[in-house]
Amino acid sequence: MTPSPRSGSSSGQNQPRGGKPRSGAPKSGAPRSGAPKAGGFKAGSPKSGGFKSGGKAGAPKSGGYQGASSKPGARKPSQTGARPFKNEQYGRTVSSSKNRPTEQNRRPERTTDDIDIHNVDGVRLQKVMAQAGVASRRLCEDMILEGRVQVDGVTVTQLGLRVDPEIVEIAVDGMTIQTNESMVYMVFNKPKGVVSTMDDPEGRPCISDFLKKRQTRERLFHVGRLDTNTEGLLLLTNDGELSNRLSHPKYGIPKTYLVQVRGPMAHGVGAQLKDGVELEDGWQKVDSFRLVDSTPGHVLAEVVLHSGKNRIVRRMFDAVGYPVERLVRVKFGPIALGDQRQGSVRVLGRHEVGYLLADVGM
């Protein structure tokens, strides 16, 4: 007698591979209950291509600070190394032209433990800094706590100091900030044909023709000179000491020019200018020379030099056989002309003023 098959065995034997499974059985290849789906990753993993701060579930969001105290009212530290004057519109037109001391290699010799500079009738230091445009008062406080602020050469590391902004010198990261509101610092993009004087008895166009009425009331000095046919950057200020230092050869403030001459230019002219050429008032040389552009019949070069002698660039190029067709000063010390419109005057930002003062030791 033939034994009968076990219950359900015949249906399982006759069912094709990959067919519909029995009721209640898991689907082919499907994970068990509670397992993640194929290729997926449950909570706590970063999304594809991204990475959340902390990685694990419950970690603080990006930008959080785990080391800060969790007590109510506890102060979290600011962004590390907050940059002063970071919100200035013209911050990109300034760069140091000298190797000034940095926070790492500067070693202040005096602190508030040695010298008392507190003025009970003064203004809080962080408020003076904020009013000078350094940063928000909160960030100024953090700069003080980080030891980045000096008052009259004394490093301040505690809050609460009061000072008289009219008589003290305040520096952030070694750069002096200007707290005297009466001082004026401007950049003029001089066009060709304008005389580098505030008034011309011959009636030619001069600097004052481009100033607003309120600006002409100030007694402004133009730092250095540009001859009538030379264009570009001219500094204007009522700060006589700064004007004298920027013009004095002792401080060696570099000036950058774009020079257009007839081309092509022979090989070795740049090296000749860097080695020095003999002029009627002695040997002169440029600090650097590079070709910027070349078109049929014309060459554009950039030269940097410290000398402020009259028509020095034109005379040097005449000496090597390439008379200047067009000359534009694009940078004076740390201040660059950028995309400033020709014939316009703009007020320097406090960041730019700080770099100017630092470059001449003020």
Side-chain angles (χ1 to χ4, degrees), residues 174-210:
M175 184 177 69
T176 303
I177 63 174
Q178 181 55 263
T179 57
N180 190 340
E181 298 294 336
S182 66
M183 292 298 181
V184 177
Y185 307 91
M186 297 184 292
V187 169
F188 174 43
N189 188 354
K190 187 184 94 64
K192 182 178 179 179
V194 176
V195 184
S196 293
T197 59
M198 300 305 294
D199 186 27
D200 184 60
E202 300 179 19
R204 295 173 294 180
C206 59
I207 297 172
S208 60
D209 295 334
F210 297 85

PDB file of all heavy atoms in Angstrom, residues 174-210:
ATOM      1  N   GLY A 174      48.030  92.955  17.245  1.00  0.00           N
ATOM      2  CA  GLY A 174      49.183  93.750  16.840  1.00  0.00           C
ATOM      3  C   GLY A 174      48.866  94.895  15.911  1.00  0.00           C
ATOM      4  O   GLY A 174      49.769  95.651  15.520  1.00  0.00           O
ATOM      5  N   MET A 175      47.604  95.080  15.533  1.00  0.00           N
ATOM      6  CA  MET A 175      47.206  96.136  14.601  1.00  0.00           C
ATOM      7  C   MET A 175      46.452  97.224  15.345  1.00  0.00           C
ATOM      8  O   MET A 175      45.431  96.968  15.986  1.00  0.00           O
ATOM      9  CB  MET A 175      46.337  95.563  13.493  1.00  0.00           C
ATOM     10  CG  MET A 175      45.957  96.572  12.429  1.00  0.00           C
ATOM     11  SD  MET A 175      45.006  95.800  11.091  1.00  0.00           S
ATOM     12  CE  MET A 175      43.473  95.442  11.962  1.00  0.00           C
ATOM     13  N   THR A 176      46.952  98.459  15.287  1.00  0.00           N
ATOM     14  CA  THR A 176      46.335  99.582  15.984  1.00  0.00           C
ATOM     15  C   THR A 176      44.992  99.924  15.363  1.00  0.00           C
ATOM     16  O   THR A 176      44.850  99.939  14.137  1.00  0.00           O
ATOM     17  CB  THR A 176      47.252 100.811  15.938  1.00  0.00           C
ATOM     18  OG1 THR A 176      48.515 100.490  16.495  1.00  0.00           O
ATOM     19  CG2 THR A 176      46.642 101.979  16.703  1.00  0.00           C
ATOM     20  N   ILE A 177      43.999 100.210  16.196  1.00  0.00           N
ATOM     21  CA  ILE A 177      42.701 100.650  15.693  1.00  0.00           C
ATOM     22  C   ILE A 177      42.573 102.144  15.950  1.00  0.00           C
ATOM     23  O   ILE A 177      43.062 102.671  16.941  1.00  0.00           O
ATOM     24  CB  ILE A 177      41.540  99.881  16.353  1.00  0.00           C
ATOM     25  CG1 ILE A 177      41.485 100.144  17.868  1.00  0.00           C
ATOM     26  CG2 ILE A 177      41.662  98.392  16.090  1.00  0.00           C
ATOM     27  CD1 ILE A 177      40.264  99.523  18.541  1.00  0.00           C
ATOM     28  N   GLN A 178      41.937 102.826  15.016  1.00  0.00           N
ATOM     29  CA  GLN A 178      41.794 104.268  15.099  1.00  0.00           C
ATOM     30  C   GLN A 178      40.502 104.598  15.834  1.00  0.00           C
ATOM     31  O   GLN A 178      39.408 104.256  15.389  1.00  0.00           O
ATOM     32  CB  GLN A 178      41.763 104.886  13.697  1.00  0.00           C
ATOM     33  CG  GLN A 178      41.630 106.396  13.684  1.00  0.00           C
ATOM     34  CD  GLN A 178      42.708 107.105  14.489  1.00  0.00           C
ATOM     35  OE1 GLN A 178      42.487 107.464  15.645  1.00  0.00           O
ATOM     36  NE2 GLN A 178      43.862 107.306  13.888  1.00  0.00           N
ATOM     37  N   THR A 179      40.631 105.254  16.990  1.00  0.00           N
ATOM     38  CA  THR A 179      39.466 105.618  17.793  1.00  0.00           C
ATOM     39  C   THR A 179      39.175 107.113  17.751  1.00  0.00           C
ATOM     40  O   THR A 179      38.198 107.563  18.344  1.00  0.00           O
ATOM     41  CB  THR A 179      39.673 105.192  19.260  1.00  0.00           C
ATOM     42  OG1 THR A 179      40.877 105.798  19.763  1.00  0.00           O
ATOM     43  CG2 THR A 179      39.798 103.679  19.363  1.00  0.00           C
ATOM     44  N   ASN A 180      40.009 107.876  17.058  1.00  0.00           N
ATOM     45  CA  ASN A 180      39.807 109.315  16.948  1.00  0.00           C
ATOM     46  C   ASN A 180      38.882 109.600  15.764  1.00  0.00           C
ATOM     47  O   ASN A 180      39.270 109.460  14.608  1.00  0.00           O
ATOM     48  CB  ASN A 180      41.153 110.022  16.760  1.00  0.00           C
ATOM     49  CG  ASN A 180      41.031 111.528  16.872  1.00  0.00           C
ATOM     50  OD1 ASN A 180      39.946 112.094  16.726  1.00  0.00           O
ATOM     51  ND2 ASN A 180      42.151 112.195  17.126  1.00  0.00           N
ATOM     52  N   GLU A 181      37.649 109.986  16.054  1.00  0.00           N
ATOM     53  CA  GLU A 181      36.646 110.190  15.021  1.00  0.00           C
ATOM     54  C   GLU A 181      36.935 111.400  14.139  1.00  0.00           C
ATOM     55  O   GLU A 181      36.343 111.540  13.053  1.00  0.00           O
ATOM     56  CB  GLU A 181      35.259 110.355  15.668  1.00  0.00           C
ATOM     57  CG  GLU A 181      34.792 109.138  16.444  1.00  0.00           C
ATOM     58  CD  GLU A 181      34.553 107.939  15.548  1.00  0.00           C
ATOM     59  OE1 GLU A 181      34.302 108.137  14.349  1.00  0.00           O
ATOM     60  OE2 GLU A 181      34.623 106.805  16.051  1.00  0.00           O
ATOM     61  N   SER A 182      37.836 112.291  14.551  1.00  0.00           N
ATOM     62  CA  SER A 182      38.117 113.479  13.751  1.00  0.00           C
ATOM     63  C   SER A 182      39.081 113.209  12.598  1.00  0.00           C
ATOM     64  O   SER A 182      39.222 114.035  11.700  1.00  0.00           O
ATOM     65  CB  SER A 182      38.702 114.583  14.642  1.00  0.00           C
ATOM     66  OG  SER A 182      39.985 114.204  15.147  1.00  0.00           O
ATOM     67  N   MET A 183      39.730 112.039  12.608  1.00  0.00           N
ATOM     68  CA  MET A 183      40.685 111.709  11.557  1.00  0.00           C
ATOM     69  C   MET A 183      39.966 111.224  10.298  1.00  0.00           C
ATOM     70  O   MET A 183      38.984 110.476  10.376  1.00  0.00           O
ATOM     71  CB  MET A 183      41.673 110.645  12.034  1.00  0.00           C
ATOM     72  CG  MET A 183      42.626 111.134  13.113  1.00  0.00           C
ATOM     73  SD  MET A 183      43.660 112.500  12.521  1.00  0.00           S
ATOM     74  CE  MET A 183      44.658 112.804  13.982  1.00  0.00           C
ATOM     75  N   VAL A 184      40.463 111.658   9.140  1.00  0.00           N
ATOM     76  CA  VAL A 184      39.860 111.314   7.850  1.00  0.00           C
ATOM     77  C   VAL A 184      40.898 110.583   7.003  1.00  0.00           C
ATOM     78  O   VAL A 184      42.048 111.021   6.901  1.00  0.00           O
ATOM     79  CB  VAL A 184      39.381 112.584   7.107  1.00  0.00           C
ATOM     80  CG1 VAL A 184      38.816 112.236   5.740  1.00  0.00           C
ATOM     81  CG2 VAL A 184      38.352 113.329   7.945  1.00  0.00           C
ATOM     82  N   TYR A 185      40.475 109.472   6.393  1.00  0.00           N
ATOM     83  CA  TYR A 185      41.364 108.699   5.524  1.00  0.00           C
ATOM     84  C   TYR A 185      40.561 108.288   4.283  1.00  0.00           C
ATOM     85  O   TYR A 185      39.532 107.616   4.404  1.00  0.00           O
ATOM     86  CB  TYR A 185      41.879 107.445   6.242  1.00  0.00           C
ATOM     87  CG  TYR A 185      42.519 107.729   7.583  1.00  0.00           C
ATOM     88  CD1 TYR A 185      41.762 107.723   8.754  1.00  0.00           C
ATOM     89  CD2 TYR A 185      43.887 108.001   7.678  1.00  0.00           C
ATOM     90  CE1 TYR A 185      42.342 107.990   9.981  1.00  0.00           C
ATOM     91  CE2 TYR A 185      44.474 108.263   8.910  1.00  0.00           C
ATOM     92  CZ  TYR A 185      43.692 108.257  10.054  1.00  0.00           C
ATOM     93  OH  TYR A 185      44.274 108.514  11.273  1.00  0.00           O
ATOM     94  N   MET A 186      41.036 108.676   3.109  1.00  0.00           N
ATOM     95  CA  MET A 186      40.297 108.425   1.877  1.00  0.00           C
ATOM     96  C   MET A 186      41.241 107.971   0.758  1.00  0.00           C
ATOM     97  O   MET A 186      42.450 108.207   0.809  1.00  0.00           O
ATOM     98  CB  MET A 186      39.538 109.676   1.442  1.00  0.00           C
ATOM     99  CG  MET A 186      38.467 110.131   2.419  1.00  0.00           C
ATOM    100  SD  MET A 186      37.499 111.545   1.830  1.00  0.00           S
ATOM    101  CE  MET A 186      38.732 112.838   1.860  1.00  0.00           C
ATOM    102  N   VAL A 187      40.638 107.337  -0.257  1.00  0.00           N
ATOM    103  CA  VAL A 187      41.349 106.930  -1.463  1.00  0.00           C
ATOM    104  C   VAL A 187      40.698 107.616  -2.655  1.00  0.00           C
ATOM    105  O   VAL A 187      39.475 107.564  -2.819  1.00  0.00           O
ATOM    106  CB  VAL A 187      41.314 105.404  -1.653  1.00  0.00           C
ATOM    107  CG1 VAL A 187      41.819 105.017  -3.031  1.00  0.00           C
ATOM    108  CG2 VAL A 187      42.152 104.712  -0.605  1.00  0.00           C
ATOM    109  N   PHE A 188      41.522 108.250  -3.479  1.00  0.00           N
ATOM    110  CA  PHE A 188      41.056 108.920  -4.696  1.00  0.00           C
ATOM    111  C   PHE A 188      41.647 108.203  -5.897  1.00  0.00           C
ATOM    112  O   PHE A 188      42.858 107.998  -5.965  1.00  0.00           O
ATOM    113  CB  PHE A 188      41.496 110.389  -4.658  1.00  0.00           C
ATOM    114  CG  PHE A 188      41.211 111.166  -5.916  1.00  0.00           C
ATOM    115  CD1 PHE A 188      39.994 111.035  -6.563  1.00  0.00           C
ATOM    116  CD2 PHE A 188      42.151 112.042  -6.440  1.00  0.00           C
ATOM    117  CE1 PHE A 188      39.724 111.758  -7.718  1.00  0.00           C
ATOM    118  CE2 PHE A 188      41.896 112.767  -7.587  1.00  0.00           C
ATOM    119  CZ  PHE A 188      40.672 112.630  -8.231  1.00  0.00           C
ATOM    120  N   ASN A 189      40.774 107.798  -6.835  1.00  0.00           N
ATOM    121  CA  ASN A 189      41.249 107.203  -8.090  1.00  0.00           C
ATOM    122  C   ASN A 189      41.407 108.329  -9.106  1.00  0.00           C
ATOM    123  O   ASN A 189      40.445 108.711  -9.779  1.00  0.00           O
ATOM    124  CB  ASN A 189      40.260 106.144  -8.577  1.00  0.00           C
ATOM    125  CG  ASN A 189      40.788 105.365  -9.775  1.00  0.00           C
ATOM    126  OD1 ASN A 189      41.841 105.681 -10.319  1.00  0.00           O
ATOM    127  ND2 ASN A 189      40.053 104.345 -10.185  1.00  0.00           N
ATOM    128  N   LYS A 190      42.619 108.842  -9.203  1.00  0.00           N
ATOM    129  CA  LYS A 190      42.879 110.043 -10.008  1.00  0.00           C
ATOM    130  C   LYS A 190      42.850 109.744 -11.506  1.00  0.00           C
ATOM    131  O   LYS A 190      43.554 108.849 -11.974  1.00  0.00           O
ATOM    132  CB  LYS A 190      44.246 110.626  -9.643  1.00  0.00           C
ATOM    133  CG  LYS A 190      44.534 111.974 -10.319  1.00  0.00           C
ATOM    134  CD  LYS A 190      45.928 112.461 -10.002  1.00  0.00           C
ATOM    135  CE  LYS A 190      46.918 112.049 -11.065  1.00  0.00           C
ATOM    136  NZ  LYS A 190      46.661 112.640 -12.384  1.00  0.00           N
ATOM    137  N   PRO A 191      42.051 110.493 -12.261  1.00  0.00           N
ATOM    138  CA  PRO A 191      42.068 110.325 -13.715  1.00  0.00           C
ATOM    139  C   PRO A 191      43.258 111.060 -14.347  1.00  0.00           C
ATOM    140  O   PRO A 191      43.898 111.907 -13.719  1.00  0.00           O
ATOM    141  CB  PRO A 191      40.751 110.965 -14.162  1.00  0.00           C
ATOM    142  CG  PRO A 191      39.966 111.239 -12.918  1.00  0.00           C
ATOM    143  CD  PRO A 191      40.973 111.391 -11.827  1.00  0.00           C
ATOM    144  N   LYS A 192      43.539 110.742 -15.586  1.00  0.00           N
ATOM    145  CA  LYS A 192      44.585 111.439 -16.337  1.00  0.00           C
ATOM    146  C   LYS A 192      44.171 112.895 -16.548  1.00  0.00           C
ATOM    147  O   LYS A 192      43.006 113.208 -16.759  1.00  0.00           O
ATOM    148  CB  LYS A 192      44.782 110.749 -17.695  1.00  0.00           C
ATOM    149  CG  LYS A 192      45.888 111.353 -18.543  1.00  0.00           C
ATOM    150  CD  LYS A 192      46.037 110.577 -19.852  1.00  0.00           C
ATOM    151  CE  LYS A 192      47.130 111.174 -20.721  1.00  0.00           C
ATOM    152  NZ  LYS A 192      47.299 110.413 -21.992  1.00  0.00           N
ATOM    153  N   GLY A 193      45.135 113.811 -16.433  1.00  0.00           N
ATOM    154  CA  GLY A 193      44.874 115.226 -16.647  1.00  0.00           C
ATOM    155  C   GLY A 193      44.558 116.001 -15.386  1.00  0.00           C
ATOM    156  O   GLY A 193      44.417 117.229 -15.435  1.00  0.00           O
ATOM    157  N   VAL A 194      44.447 115.315 -14.240  1.00  0.00           N
ATOM    158  CA  VAL A 194      44.157 115.984 -12.972  1.00  0.00           C
ATOM    159  C   VAL A 194      45.466 116.253 -12.238  1.00  0.00           C
ATOM    160  O   VAL A 194      46.338 115.379 -12.145  1.00  0.00           O
ATOM    161  CB  VAL A 194      43.225 115.112 -12.097  1.00  0.00           C
ATOM    162  CG1 VAL A 194      43.006 115.758 -10.731  1.00  0.00           C
ATOM    163  CG2 VAL A 194      41.903 114.881 -12.809  1.00  0.00           C
ATOM    164  N   VAL A 195      45.603 117.459 -11.695  1.00  0.00           N
ATOM    165  CA  VAL A 195      46.817 117.863 -10.992  1.00  0.00           C
ATOM    166  C   VAL A 195      46.737 117.390  -9.545  1.00  0.00           C
ATOM    167  O   VAL A 195      45.681 117.488  -8.898  1.00  0.00           O
ATOM    168  CB  VAL A 195      46.996 119.395 -11.037  1.00  0.00           C
ATOM    169  CG1 VAL A 195      48.324 119.806 -10.394  1.00  0.00           C
ATOM    170  CG2 VAL A 195      46.928 119.894 -12.469  1.00  0.00           C
ATOM    171  N   SER A 196      47.853 116.882  -9.021  1.00  0.00           N
ATOM    172  CA  SER A 196      47.886 116.368  -7.640  1.00  0.00           C
ATOM    173  C   SER A 196      48.073 117.494  -6.634  1.00  0.00           C
ATOM    174  O   SER A 196      49.026 117.527  -5.857  1.00  0.00           O
ATOM    175  CB  SER A 196      49.015 115.336  -7.491  1.00  0.00           C
ATOM    176  OG  SER A 196      48.740 114.188  -8.243  1.00  0.00           O
ATOM    177  N   THR A 197      47.142 118.420  -6.617  1.00  0.00           N
ATOM    178  CA  THR A 197      47.104 119.503  -5.636  1.00  0.00           C
ATOM    179  C   THR A 197      45.649 119.729  -5.249  1.00  0.00           C
ATOM    180  O   THR A 197      44.720 119.323  -5.955  1.00  0.00           O
ATOM    181  CB  THR A 197      47.680 120.818  -6.203  1.00  0.00           C
ATOM    182  OG1 THR A 197      46.917 121.203  -7.366  1.00  0.00           O
ATOM    183  CG2 THR A 197      49.142 120.664  -6.584  1.00  0.00           C
ATOM    184  N   MET A 198      45.449 120.377  -4.109  1.00  0.00           N
ATOM    185  CA  MET A 198      44.093 120.682  -3.678  1.00  0.00           C
ATOM    186  C   MET A 198      43.548 121.910  -4.393  1.00  0.00           C
ATOM    187  O   MET A 198      42.331 122.099  -4.483  1.00  0.00           O
ATOM    188  CB  MET A 198      44.061 120.895  -2.167  1.00  0.00           C
ATOM    189  CG  MET A 198      44.519 119.688  -1.344  1.00  0.00           C
ATOM    190  SD  MET A 198      43.633 118.153  -1.710  1.00  0.00           S
ATOM    191  CE  MET A 198      41.997 118.578  -1.141  1.00  0.00           C
ATOM    192  N   ASP A 199      44.440 122.767  -4.897  1.00  0.00           N
ATOM    193  CA  ASP A 199      44.012 123.973  -5.618  1.00  0.00           C
ATOM    194  C   ASP A 199      45.064 124.302  -6.666  1.00  0.00           C
ATOM    195  O   ASP A 199      46.271 124.199  -6.395  1.00  0.00           O
ATOM    196  CB  ASP A 199      43.837 125.135  -4.635  1.00  0.00           C
ATOM    197  CG  ASP A 199      43.258 126.369  -5.298  1.00  0.00           C
ATOM    198  OD1 ASP A 199      42.535 126.208  -6.297  1.00  0.00           O
ATOM    199  OD2 ASP A 199      43.541 127.484  -4.830  1.00  0.00           O
ATOM    200  N   ASP A 200      44.628 124.676  -7.870  1.00  0.00           N
ATOM    201  CA  ASP A 200      45.563 124.997  -8.948  1.00  0.00           C
ATOM    202  C   ASP A 200      45.329 126.419  -9.442  1.00  0.00           C
ATOM    203  O   ASP A 200      44.224 126.752  -9.914  1.00  0.00           O
ATOM    204  CB  ASP A 200      45.386 124.012 -10.108  1.00  0.00           C
ATOM    205  CG  ASP A 200      46.409 124.244 -11.212  1.00  0.00           C
ATOM    206  OD1 ASP A 200      47.624 124.138 -10.922  1.00  0.00           O
ATOM    207  OD2 ASP A 200      45.997 124.550 -12.341  1.00  0.00           O
ATOM    208  N   PRO A 201      46.358 127.280  -9.322  1.00  0.00           N
ATOM    209  CA  PRO A 201      46.187 128.678  -9.745  1.00  0.00           C
ATOM    210  C   PRO A 201      45.956 128.817 -11.242  1.00  0.00           C
ATOM    211  O   PRO A 201      45.417 129.836 -11.699  1.00  0.00           O
ATOM    212  CB  PRO A 201      47.511 129.344  -9.323  1.00  0.00           C
ATOM    213  CG  PRO A 201      48.486 128.223  -9.171  1.00  0.00           C
ATOM    214  CD  PRO A 201      47.689 127.041  -8.745  1.00  0.00           C
ATOM    215  N   GLU A 202      46.322 127.810 -12.037  1.00  0.00           N
ATOM    216  CA  GLU A 202      46.129 127.874 -13.484  1.00  0.00           C
ATOM    217  C   GLU A 202      44.748 127.396 -13.910  1.00  0.00           C
ATOM    218  O   GLU A 202      44.414 127.400 -15.097  1.00  0.00           O
ATOM    219  CB  GLU A 202      47.207 127.041 -14.191  1.00  0.00           C
ATOM    220  CG  GLU A 202      48.624 127.515 -13.906  1.00  0.00           C
ATOM    221  CD  GLU A 202      49.667 126.650 -14.610  1.00  0.00           C
ATOM    222  OE1 GLU A 202      49.287 125.943 -15.571  1.00  0.00           O
ATOM    223  OE2 GLU A 202      50.837 126.684 -14.193  1.00  0.00           O
ATOM    224  N   GLY A 203      43.962 126.967 -12.945  1.00  0.00           N
ATOM    225  CA  GLY A 203      42.606 126.563 -13.257  1.00  0.00           C
ATOM    226  C   GLY A 203      42.457 125.153 -13.811  1.00  0.00           C
ATOM    227  O   GLY A 203      41.375 124.788 -14.297  1.00  0.00           O
ATOM    228  N   ARG A 204      43.501 124.350 -13.716  1.00  0.00           N
ATOM    229  CA  ARG A 204      43.402 122.968 -14.200  1.00  0.00           C
ATOM    230  C   ARG A 204      42.621 122.110 -13.204  1.00  0.00           C
ATOM    231  O   ARG A 204      42.525 122.448 -12.026  1.00  0.00           O
ATOM    232  CB  ARG A 204      44.813 122.394 -14.402  1.00  0.00           C
ATOM    233  CG  ARG A 204      45.618 123.073 -15.489  1.00  0.00           C
ATOM    234  CD  ARG A 204      47.056 122.558 -15.512  1.00  0.00           C
ATOM    235  NE  ARG A 204      47.771 122.928 -14.289  1.00  0.00           N
ATOM    236  CZ  ARG A 204      49.031 122.602 -14.045  1.00  0.00           C
ATOM    237  NH1 ARG A 204      49.712 121.872 -14.937  1.00  0.00           N
ATOM    238  NH2 ARG A 204      49.609 122.984 -12.911  1.00  0.00           N
ATOM    239  N   PRO A 205      42.050 121.009 -13.664  1.00  0.00           N
ATOM    240  CA  PRO A 205      41.334 120.122 -12.728  1.00  0.00           C
ATOM    241  C   PRO A 205      42.266 119.654 -11.620  1.00  0.00           C
ATOM    242  O   PRO A 205      43.411 119.278 -11.866  1.00  0.00           O
ATOM    243  CB  PRO A 205      40.894 118.956 -13.616  1.00  0.00           C
ATOM    244  CG  PRO A 205      40.901 119.484 -15.004  1.00  0.00           C
ATOM    245  CD  PRO A 205      42.003 120.506 -15.050  1.00  0.00           C
ATOM    246  N   CYS A 206      41.790 119.665 -10.376  1.00  0.00           N
ATOM    247  CA  CYS A 206      42.603 119.260  -9.232  1.00  0.00           C
ATOM    248  C   CYS A 206      41.776 118.383  -8.296  1.00  0.00           C
ATOM    249  O   CYS A 206      40.602 118.122  -8.540  1.00  0.00           O
ATOM    250  CB  CYS A 206      43.182 120.469  -8.503  1.00  0.00           C
ATOM    251  SG  CYS A 206      41.925 121.610  -7.897  1.00  0.00           S
ATOM    252  N   ILE A 207      42.389 117.931  -7.207  1.00  0.00           N
ATOM    253  CA  ILE A 207      41.755 116.958  -6.322  1.00  0.00           C
ATOM    254  C   ILE A 207      40.461 117.496  -5.723  1.00  0.00           C
ATOM    255  O   ILE A 207      39.450 116.778  -5.632  1.00  0.00           O
ATOM    256  CB  ILE A 207      42.738 116.560  -5.201  1.00  0.00           C
ATOM    257  CG1 ILE A 207      43.973 115.882  -5.792  1.00  0.00           C
ATOM    258  CG2 ILE A 207      42.062 115.637  -4.194  1.00  0.00           C
ATOM    259  CD1 ILE A 207      45.077 115.627  -4.784  1.00  0.00           C
ATOM    260  N   SER A 208      40.446 118.753  -5.309  1.00  0.00           N
ATOM    261  CA  SER A 208      39.269 119.309  -4.630  1.00  0.00           C
ATOM    262  C   SER A 208      38.030 119.314  -5.521  1.00  0.00           C
ATOM    263  O   SER A 208      36.902 119.342  -5.017  1.00  0.00           O
ATOM    264  CB  SER A 208      39.560 120.728  -4.138  1.00  0.00           C
ATOM    265  OG  SER A 208      39.897 121.568  -5.229  1.00  0.00           O
ATOM    266  N   ASP A 209      38.214 119.271  -6.850  1.00  0.00           N
ATOM    267  CA  ASP A 209      37.070 119.242  -7.761  1.00  0.00           C
ATOM    268  C   ASP A 209      36.270 117.953  -7.628  1.00  0.00           C
ATOM    269  O   ASP A 209      35.108 117.888  -8.063  1.00  0.00           O
ATOM    270  CB  ASP A 209      37.542 119.391  -9.216  1.00  0.00           C
ATOM    271  CG  ASP A 209      38.183 120.740  -9.485  1.00  0.00           C
ATOM    272  OD1 ASP A 209      37.843 121.700  -8.764  1.00  0.00           O
ATOM    273  OD2 ASP A 209      39.030 120.836 -10.387  1.00  0.00           O
ATOM    274  N   PHE A 210      36.866 116.913  -7.053  1.00  0.00           N
ATOM    275  CA  PHE A 210      36.209 115.611  -6.940  1.00  0.00           C
ATOM    276  C   PHE A 210      35.709 115.329  -5.519  1.00  0.00           C
ATOM    277  O   PHE A 210      35.153 114.266  -5.273  1.00  0.00           O
ATOM    278  CB  PHE A 210      37.180 114.501  -7.364  1.00  0.00           C
ATOM    279  CG  PHE A 210      37.601 114.598  -8.804  1.00  0.00           C
ATOM    280  CD1 PHE A 210      38.657 115.415  -9.184  1.00  0.00           C
ATOM    281  CD2 PHE A 210      36.935 113.874  -9.784  1.00  0.00           C
ATOM    282  CE1 PHE A 210      39.039 115.503 -10.505  1.00  0.00           C
ATOM    283  CE2 PHE A 210      37.311 113.952 -11.110  1.00  0.00           C
ATOM    284  CZ  PHE A 210      38.359 114.775 -11.481  1.00  0.00           C
TER     285      PHE A 210
END
